[in-house]
Amino acid sequence: MSYQNVDPVLGVFANTIEELDYGIGVTLTTTGGVVTGQLVSGRAWAKAYTERIGLEPESPATEVLGHVFKGLQETLSPATNADTDAEEEQENSNYPSFIHLTEARYLSAGNLVPQGNDTVPWRGRLDQVVAWSVGRMGNS
């Protein structure tokens, strides 16, 4: 990740969200388009993603994905991330590599998709966000 491309205000904002496990509405312009939703911690995103998958109970796929996302929730928790050694921390920025949204929608041809109550968890590289604002877009 190129930390030179990260807006330092957004980097600190995302880092604070990770540490506090808090959420706030944002709109992001990325190199791939505009996305709006609730900025959350990686752990909250993994939980939302697990719920979104909604596979049939007791299926082999549910069991495998359950293990993957349970491990991901643990990996993304701030307590686990704090265990990195001091040299690695000095070499890397304090910003998270990825930014996470729940209740995400994409702006496409003047409309937010998906429409209605259907939303998706979204994860993107922090260094690919080119502009942002606090607050979510809504359909009028």
Side-chain angles (χ1 to χ4, degrees):
M1 178 168 126
S2 173
Y3 291 104
Q4 295 173 338
N5 295 336
V6 174
D7 175 336
V9 176
L10 181 59
V12 169
F13 196 52
N15 195 45
T16 302
I17 294 290
E18 286 291 333
E19 289 175 5
L20 299 178
D21 205 16
Y22 184 72
I24 190 166
V26 295
T27 299
L28 309 172
T29 302
T30 71
T31 55
V34 176
V35 63
T36 190
Q38 187 79 1
L39 177 62
V40 296
S41 68
R43 188 174 60 206
W45 171 86
K47 182 176 186 257
Y49 205 95
T50 303
E51 292 168 359
R52 171 73 178 171
I53 292 171
L55 298 173
E56 292 182 29
E58 299 183 27
S59 74
T62 301
E63 187 174 333
V64 169
L65 290 172
H67 286 302
V68 168
F69 279 97
K70 183 173 185 204
L72 186 58
Q73 286 179 40
E74 291 169 5
T75 300
L76 293 173
S77 79
T80 303
N81 291 337
D83 293 337
T84 59
D85 67 26
E87 281 184 34
E88 186 177 333
E89 271 188 42
Q90 285 180 342
E91 290 177 18
N92 295 327
S93 170
N94 289 328
Y95 306 143
S97 297
F98 289 88
I99 193 165
H100 302 90
L101 301 182
T102 57
E103 304 171 19
R105 289 189 160 94
Y106 305 92
L107 181 62
S108 176
N111 293 308
L112 292 173
V113 291
Q115 294 187 358
N117 293 328
D118 195 23
T119 59
V120 295
W122 180 90
R123 172 181 164 107
R125 284 184 28 197
L126 187 59
D127 66 347
Q128 297 299 305
V129 176
V130 295
W132 65 279
S133 63
V134 172
R136 294 196 228 179
M137 297 175 103
N139 286 327
S140 51

